[in-house]
Amino acid sequence: MQHWRSVIVAVAIFASFTTSTLVDYLSSDSRWENTHYSRTIDLQKSYVKENNLIEAKNINDKPQNEYFFTVNDGFGSISEISVMSITLVNPSNIEIEFEEIIQNEVYRIVLPVPIAPKSSFEFKVSYVYINTLQPLPAKLEMGDTQTILFKLNKFAYSPYPTTDYSLSFTGISKGQEMSLAINGNSTVTQNVPDVRPRVEEKTLKYGPIADVLEEFTVVPMGLLYEHNRPLGYVQNLNRSIWIPASEVNQLSIEEYYELSNKAAELTTGFSRVEWLKGRFGTTRNHWALSHIEIPTFGNDFADYYFTDLVGVVDTHSLVSDHLLLQPRFPLFGGWNYNFTLGWNNKLSDFVHKIHNTDDEYIIKVPILNSVRDVTYNNTYLTFYLPESAEFVNVSSPIEFESITLENEFSYLDVSRGHVKVTIHFKNLFDDIHRLDILLRYKYSHASYLLKVFKISGFVFIGLISYYLLGLVDLSIETKKST
């Protein structure tokens, strides 16, 4: 059963930009009215998903094909946006081109066709922001229930007036609304409609509001809700994929995680006796990270290995298409754990020869293998191509920070070593495992045969050298005179 109550608590936060700064980036010819603006915020996981359904009407006297979308913030509560997608509603599933004008703040949407005066179009904006949730209080006893503070703008922070607005929260069971006092250059909008929350079908809803909201409406709001789960955070993930040069049908994958928990900290030191007595490790409803859960997604983990900085870890199992790894100790807030996971897959499931070519291949793999319910600061996806292979290009469904080409020696490398292609991503989250990256490379059969001949030649030279050394008389005995 859900319980909601409203309280007024002042929390000081600092604004990082002003409305006038945003106005400088907006086109004076862009004139729209949001005739419908619906926000749905999912707080089920350790990051925030927001979906905006917007219907915009052209109130200009000429056709327009540009719309400026501003992230619903206004006072610096959203620090990092992971992935954003914008699609038309009718016709559905057609992606709209957009350009980031101010990082994490303003985006210019370019429509496929101009919208005539007094006509409307409907579109959906989906984005994820991370490093936003924080436990309140910051420290707890081991048996306490964790509550999370989520800061947001209660209304639509849009450069256009809005005549119909609603806000919904999902993924929470208990919560309380908090008023936030802001310090800095931002100003709280006055004379906004008084809207009260209600609960419908396990969803907390505000509105709809059939009133005019002015441009850049800012009303800071805090939502304090129960979330007795870890806030998993991977500072660095090194995901390595080794492609063999021979006909061996085996693709080797190894991942190195630097994992931490951003949940509440312990008020006192850790007691394993208290941990075992409370049976906290046998339940998923605790804010300490005691199990690392990885869905298999069809991967064959029959020969996997799990190690940390100490050595091989034996506490792991495969249960119902999930790989469960148990660290040597539960991770409370502020605790870190580094570990390595490796396994093999069938090469033929991921690498295919391009049609009508003799030496070009393409490999298709998920960007993430993904620990359940975590966010990633830096993700380094590295492909180790066969020695003497030629990198052609890479295609990614999301933007990456950089791509680097190097060479790295491994076993039986005889010339330049493996071709190492490293792709750097920022601010990812676990659902990115649904997205695949494509890498194209060239590797001829002649290159493979040349490597075999080189290895054979080195072995032959080594054997001949050993034989010739055996013929040399290295004795120091003096010859007897006759």
Side-chain angles (χ1 to χ4, degrees), residues 3 50 69 188 290 335 360 424 430 437:
H3 305 278
E50 179 166 342
F69 174 80
V188 177
S290 58
W335 291 24
E360 290 196 28
H424 178 205
D430 58 345
I437 190 170

Side-chain angles (χ1 to χ4, degrees), residues 271-287:
S271 171
R272 189 169 291 275
V273 174
E274 185 180 350
W275 174 261
L276 295 175
K277 186 185 298 184
R279 298 180 179 271
F280 300 115
T282 61
T283 177
R284 295 177 59 183
N285 190 30
H286 196 275
W287 40 276

